[in-house]
Amino acid sequence: MMNNTMNLCCEPILRFPIRILSVIVAAAMLFSCSGGGEGASTADDGTPVKGDWIVVHLLSDPEGLNPLITNDASSSAIFNHVYEKLLDYDFETTDLYPVIAESRPTVSDDHLTYTFKLKKGVTFSDGKPLTAKDVIFTFKAVKNPLITDAAALRNYYESLSDITAPDDQTVVITMSKPYFLAEYFLGGLWILPKHIFDKESLTDGYSIAETNDMAKAQSNASMKKFAAWYNTPEVKRDPALNIGSGPYMYDEWKTGESVSIKRNDRWWNAGKDKWNPSYADKVIYKVVNDRSSAVVGVKNGEMDFMEAVPPAKFVEEIDTVATPFLSKATYSMQVYTYVGLNCQNPILSDKNVRRALAHCLDRDALIKQVVRGLATPVNSPVYSDRKEYDKSIAPVAYDPAKAKEILAKAGWSDVNGDGVLDKNINGRLVPFVVSILVNAGNESREAIAVAFSDELRKIGVKLEVRKLEWSVFLENLRTRKFDISIGAWVNDPLPSDPYQIWHSSQIGNKGSNYAGFSSPRADQLMELNRIEFDENKRIAYMQEFQRIVADEQPYIFLWSPQYPAIFNKRLHGVRFSRVRPGYNPTQWWIPASQWKYSQAQ
C-alpha cells in the first residue's frame, strides 16, 4: 500500500501508499510549518530541545508491531521508528542513504550479487550488537512460506536464492534472477534481533533454498516450529518482545486506546542521523475511531497532530483565525483509492458486470462532495505521477442507463418483480445482492459506499454497507470473505512493480491480490517488468498491463488524494515528504515553555 511493500491504508483520503492530491508536489518539495508555515510562531530562542511528549491521531489500532507480519500503513508509521534497515529513503530527496550499512551495496555486473558492509557499533535497544547473523535471520524469517502473515512482504524476495556472511560485518546476497528494484528491497527490510526472535536458533536449521520449495518447507521440522512460533499473537503484538535498533522503543500498547514509543536513550546512531533527531521523549499514537471526534481532540489540545482530517471539516470548518494555535497543511504521496470487486464471487466474476457497476459510480460528484476537490482522478493501478502511468486510459463514465443495458445483456433481469435483478447461476436463481466493506470510523469511505448503494438500487442491484473494525476488515480482505470493498494502496516513491497486488500467485495464502484478479498475460508482463533494467521497456510492459486491468475492471479506480493535516503550533520542525507516511514525528520538537507532559515523566 512499503517498507517497500505497498501498504493498505485505513485513512479516508489516503496517504501511498499507499497516504494516499489534487496537487502533486515534487519529491523535494517540503512544507515547513514551523519555520514559515501558516501562522508559524518562534520558539523560545529557536534552538531544538529534547523533551515532552507528542500525541498523534490514529483512526484505528495498528494491525501489529512486528514489521515482517504487518502490512497496514498505521503499523508501519509506528514501527519505522523502532526498527531500522540497511538503507532508507532520504526524507528530502527520496534517494537511498545508508543506515545500518556503511554504504549502498556493491552490485555484480549481472545484477545477481549484492554485498553489504555493515557499520560497526550498531546495537539493538537492549544493548546487544547487530551483526550479519541478524540480517540473515531476518531474511530467513520473511522467506519462511509457513509464516502466513509475511506473504505481502515475501513476494519481493522470491528471487532470493542465498545469503551468506563471510564475517560479522559483511552480508552477501545472491539472486536467482535479476530484479530491477533489488537494491531497494534488499536494503529496505527491517532488521530484527535473532537473539530475541530465535532463541533456539531454529532458522539455522533451514536454508534459503528450502524456503523456496513449499514441500521442503513443510517437511523441515525447524522451519515448521519457527513458523508456528512466529505466527503467534505474541510476536505480532507484544511491545516487550518487539525490540529494534532504532531511535525509539515500544513503550506500551493499550488496545483500542493508544500505542506509545519512547526515545531509545542508548541509540547507537544518536546525533548522526539528520532525519531522526528524536527530540520527543515519547510519541503517543492515540486511537480515536471517529475523525470528527479526533478533530475536536486536536482543537482541545488532547492531540497534537492529525494526518487525515475529514475534507469537509478541513476546508469549511477549521479556521486558523478562530483557532490560532493550529496550522493546516496538505501533502501528497504515491497513493490511490479504489473500490475493489471480488472477481471470484460468482455474481461479480463477469468483467461486463463489473464494468456495469463502475458506470454507476459518479466519481466527479464524489470528488466534489466527499473529498471537497482534494484529489486527482486516476484510472489505473499505476500512480499517476509515474512515467509509466498510461494517460490514454479513459475513465468509466457515470452512465446508469449504460449499466442497465450491460446487465441485461449479461442475463440479469427482475424475474420475480421484487425490484432486484436476478440470474440463473449454476442452476439456481440468484438475486443481485452484494455487500460492500468499509473500515469503521472512515466517514469518507462510508459516504462513498452509501452513494454507490443508492445509485445501484436505481438499476436493481442491492448493495448492503458493512462497517468493520480495522483488523477484522483486513482479515476479511485477506481471506477474500467479501464482495466489494473500499481501500487504498500507498507506496514509497518507486518505479512500478504491481506484483504484490495483481499477480495471480498473490491470491492465496493471505496475499495482497484481494480482488482475486488473474490474467496470464498480466502475470507475464509483471514478471518481465521485474527483470528488466531498461526503463523504456518497463514503461511499455506497465502500460499494456494497465490496459488489461482497465478492461477486466477488478477495481473501480477513484483518485489520488491530498492529505489534509492539522497540528498544534507547539510542534516545531513539522515538514512533509513523499516518503511514507509523509511526516516524521522524530523531527518535531517543542519549546520548553510549551511542554505539557514533562511533569508526568
Side-chain angles (χ1 to χ4, degrees):
M1 36 212 216
M2 297 165 113
N3 79 339
N4 290 320
T5 62
M6 297 181 189
N7 291 149
L8 192 68
C9 297
C10 68
E11 296 297 350
I13 58 181
L14 293 161
R15 93 147 62 182
F16 121 131
I18 266 205
R19 333 130 96 227
I20 300 198
L21 353 177
S22 85
V23 178
I24 302 296
V25 297
M29 180 69 74
L30 302 173
F31 300 93
S32 179
C33 297
S34 62
E38 180 184 302
S41 61
T42 29
D44 295 348
D45 66 353
T47 302
V49 293
K50 290 192 174 185
D52 209 30
W53 304 352
I54 294 170
V55 184
V56 176
H57 171 248
L58 274 188
L59 183 62
S60 304
D61 262 325
E63 184 195 5
L65 305 178
N66 188 288
L68 303 191
I69 50 178
T70 51
N71 188 44
D72 65 319
S74 295
S75 298
S76 65
I78 301 172
F79 62 56
N80 204 40
H81 307 309
V82 174
Y83 293 94
E84 293 179 304
K85 312 167 187 176
L86 299 174
L87 310 174
D88 211 340
Y89 295 98
D90 185 288
F91 189 80
E92 184 172 282
T93 67
T94 74
D95 294 334
L96 290 176
Y97 77 100
V99 180
I100 295 173
E102 285 185 349
S103 63
R104 293 175 67 164
T106 302
V107 185
S108 63
D109 292 339
D110 59 5
H111 300 284
L112 294 179
T113 304
Y114 292 75
T115 302
F116 289 91
K117 285 284 187 179
L118 308 186
K119 291 176 181 176
K120 294 181 180 179
V122 180
T123 61
F124 291 104
S125 60
D126 63 356
K128 297 294 178 63
L130 186 157
T131 71
K133 293 182 178 66
D134 300 294
V135 178
I136 292 177
F137 157 74
T138 304
F139 277 95
K140 282 190 170 185
V142 77
K143 284 282 290 178
N144 187 327
L146 305 179
I147 300 176
T148 53
D149 284 346
L153 186 56
R154 186 160 45 244
N155 83 92
Y156 293 99
Y157 304 98
E158 286 187 350
S159 300
L160 178 62
S161 64
D162 199 10
I163 177 169
T164 59
D167 56 63
D168 279 349
Q169 307 304 129
T170 307
V171 176
V172 181
I173 302 174
T174 306
M175 308 288 286
S176 60
K177 57 185 176 183
Y179 177 29
F180 83 104
L181 292 177
E183 182 182 2
Y184 289 89
F185 287 95
L186 297 176
L189 187 62
W190 288 284
I191 304 304
L192 277 61
K194 185 176 188 291
H195 68 277
I196 295 292
F197 289 102
D198 190 15
K199 293 180 183 296
E200 298 181 40
S201 295
L202 293 170
T203 53
D204 293 349
Y206 62 88
S207 66
I208 291 291
E210 287 176 283
T211 68
N212 292 322
D213 186 322
M214 180 59 84
K216 289 183 179 179
Q218 291 173 333
S219 63
N220 185 299
S222 294
M223 205 180 306
K224 289 173 68 176
K225 187 175 181 180
F226 178 73
W229 145 245
Y230 214 86
N231 285 329
T232 61
E234 180 184 7
V235 172
K236 180 173 278 192
R237 297 184 55 89
D238 186 354
L241 180 66
N242 280 278
I243 73 165
S245 61
Y248 283 83
M249 308 158 52
Y250 286 119
D251 180 41
E252 187 177 24
W253 184 355
K254 297 178 181 178
T255 303
E257 296 183 24
S258 65
V259 175
S260 60
I261 56 176
K262 59 185 178 182
R263 188 172 55 241
N264 175 11
D265 287 325
R266 30 183 205 178
W267 184 34
W268 67 275
N269 206 24
K272 300 175 185 176
D273 186 338
K274 67 176 180 177
W275 296 126
N276 293 286
S278 57
Y279 294 120
D281 293 333
K282 280 189 182 183
V283 181
I284 300 171
Y285 295 85
K286 184 174 181 178
V287 177
V288 179
N289 196 226
D290 176 86
R291 293 187 304 137
S292 296
S293 298
V295 170
V296 174
V298 178
K299 288 182 176 180
N300 291 343
E302 298 166 15
M303 290 182 287
D304 298 305
F305 179 86
M306 183 176 179
E307 72 165 339
V309 178
K313 288 187 177 295
F314 183 81
V315 173
E316 299 157 15
E317 296 182 27
I318 297 174
D319 181 355
T320 54
V321 174
T323 53
F325 55 88
L326 292 182
S327 278
K328 297 169 65 173
T330 58
Y331 61 102
S332 310
M333 285 180 291
Q334 281 196 172
V335 60
Y336 64 80
T337 306
Y338 66 90
V339 175
L341 309 170
N342 187 345
C343 300
Q344 298 186 347
N345 181 313
I347 294 177
L348 304 173
S349 60
D350 182 348
K351 69 178 182 180
N352 295 309
V353 170
R354 299 194 292 269
R355 180 164 292 272
L357 298 191
H359 279 300
C360 292
L361 198 146
D362 191 345
R363 181 173 65 176
D364 292 341
L366 292 173
I367 288 177
K368 292 176 183 177
Q369 296 164 10
V370 176
V371 294
R372 294 302 195 269
L374 296 174
T376 301
V378 296
N379 301 316
S380 90
V382 168
Y383 299 103
S384 57
D385 59 341
R386 300 296 320 169
K387 293 180 183 179
E388 52 270 31
Y389 181 73
D390 191 341
K391 297 178 181 178
S392 70
I393 295 176
V396 180
Y398 172 64
D399 190 344
K402 181 69 172 178
K404 292 181 70 173
E405 178 186 331
I406 293 173
L407 290 176
K409 288 182 179 178
W412 289 93
S413 62
D414 186 0
V415 174
N416 52 21
D418 64 354
V420 178
L421 300 178
D422 309 282
K423 182 179 179 179
N424 192 298
I425 299 177
N426 298 324
R428 184 170 65 92
L429 189 65
V430 177
F432 206 135
V433 178
V434 288
S435 63
I436 183 167
L437 302 188
V438 297
N439 53 299
N442 193 323
E443 301 95 328
S444 295
R445 292 184 186 174
E446 290 177 22
I448 295 167
V450 170
F452 195 25
S453 178
D454 290 344
E455 291 292 341
L456 289 176
R457 185 178 63 252
K458 297 173 186 177
I459 66 165
V461 174
K462 185 176 181 181
L463 180 64
E464 301 169 339
V465 180
R466 296 178 58 205
K467 296 183 285 186
L468 301 177
E469 187 274 326
W470 179 240
S471 63
V472 179
F473 174 82
L474 285 178
E475 187 63 20
N476 275 262
L477 295 187
R478 290 172 179 164
T479 54
R480 268 155 288 282
K481 294 177 181 176
F482 74 98
D483 304 323
I484 302 174
S485 67
I486 301 178
W489 288 107
V490 58
N491 198 358
D492 282 314
L494 286 171
S496 297
D497 176 15
Y499 191 101
Q500 173 191 339
I501 301 171
W502 296 101
H503 196 275
S504 62
S505 66
Q506 303 305 300
I507 294 174
N509 199 29
K510 291 192 176 183
S512 298
N513 187 345
Y514 304 146
F517 170 76
S518 181
S519 161
R521 178 55 179 166
D523 280 355
Q524 183 182 37
L525 290 166
M526 287 182 277
E527 292 161 8
L528 289 169
N529 180 67
R530 281 193 151 188
I531 61 174
E532 183 55 66
F533 288 79
D534 184 317
E535 183 182 53
N536 291 327
K537 289 182 180 180
R538 289 202 310 272
I539 289 173
Y541 294 148
M542 286 297 91
Q543 292 190 341
E544 183 182 350
F545 161 76
Q546 290 168 77
R547 292 191 290 272
I548 293 172
V549 173
D551 178 62
E552 291 289 336
Q553 203 65 51
Y555 279 11
I556 303 171
F557 294 96
L558 297 179
W559 50 69
S560 178
Q562 286 181 323
Y563 276 82
I566 57 173
F567 57 93
N568 194 301
K569 287 179 183 173
R570 81 187 196 101
L571 300 182
H572 289 251
V574 177
R575 296 191 290 175
F576 297 94
S577 169
R578 298 282 281 170
V579 178
R580 290 179 302 166
Y583 58 90
N584 183 358
T586 76
Q587 300 171 5
W588 307 343
W589 61 279
I590 302 161
S593 62
Q594 297 183 53
W595 285 6
K596 292 171 60 177
Y597 305 99
S598 57
Q599 68 275 16
Q601 299 175 37

